[in-house]
């Protein structure tokens, strides 16, 4: 604004009067732009905080998912072992039943 004022002081009185309105209009535009910038900056900071929270949640969820996958793999191995034991027991039962019936 000082720079514009110093330029306006060199102009003729008519030009100074005309530029005075322009200066006020430029000043108002500047104030409005600064206000919008502050709002946008605050909004951006809020969005960044939300993003950080989401990243933390995602990290936590990923870790939980990995843990659950590990538990699922373990449960599937146990299930496979139980199925093998069941097959053995069924085979032994069939042999005992055959011996009993003979």
């Amino acid at each position: 604004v000082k720079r514009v004022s110093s330029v306006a002081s060199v102009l003729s009185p008519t030009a100074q009067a005309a530029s005075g309105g322009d200066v006020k209009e430029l000043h108002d535009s500047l104030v409005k732009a600064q206000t919008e910038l502050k709002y946008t900056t605050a909004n951006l900071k809020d969005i960044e905080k939300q993003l950080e929270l989401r990243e933390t949640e995602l990290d936590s969820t990923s870790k939980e998912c990995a843990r659950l996958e590990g538990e699922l793999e373990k449960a599937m191995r146990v299930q496979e072992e139980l199925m093998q034991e069941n097959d053995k027991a069924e085979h032994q039962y069939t042999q005992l039943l055959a011996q009993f019936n003979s």
Side-chain angles (χ1 to χ4, degrees):
V1 174
K2 289 180 183 178
R3 190 188 224 174
V4 173
S5 297
S6 65
V7 171
S9 66
V10 180
L11 300 174
S12 69
T14 307
Q16 286 180 10
S19 68
D22 292 343
V23 170
K24 174 151 179 30
E25 188 176 312
L26 287 173
H27 180 265
D28 292 346
S29 293
L30 177 62
V31 169
K32 181 180 177 185
Q34 288 173 334
T35 302
E36 289 175 0
L37 178 61
K38 286 178 185 177
Y39 170 77
T40 302
T41 302
N43 193 24
L44 179 60
K45 287 180 182 179
D46 288 344
I47 290 170
E48 287 174 341
K49 287 178 185 177
Q50 290 174 4
L51 180 59
E52 288 172 3
L53 288 173
R54 300 284 174 148
E55 288 172 345
T56 301
E57 290 173 1
L58 178 60
D59 185 50
S60 176
T61 302
S62 294
K63 288 177 183 176
E64 179 68 8
C65 184
R67 184 187 68 76
L68 291 172
E69 284 176 346
E71 287 184 18
L72 177 61
E73 289 175 8
K74 181 179 176 183
M76 291 175 72
R77 284 192 301 272
V78 169
Q79 181 185 22
E80 181 63 32
E81 291 172 7
L82 290 173
M83 289 173 65
Q84 290 174 0
E85 288 180 23
N86 188 42
D87 289 344
K88 287 179 188 177
E90 184 179 343
H91 180 71
Q92 290 174 351
Y93 175 75
T94 303
Q95 286 179 337
L96 285 174
L97 190 59
Q99 286 177 0
F100 181 72
N101 287 334
S102 57

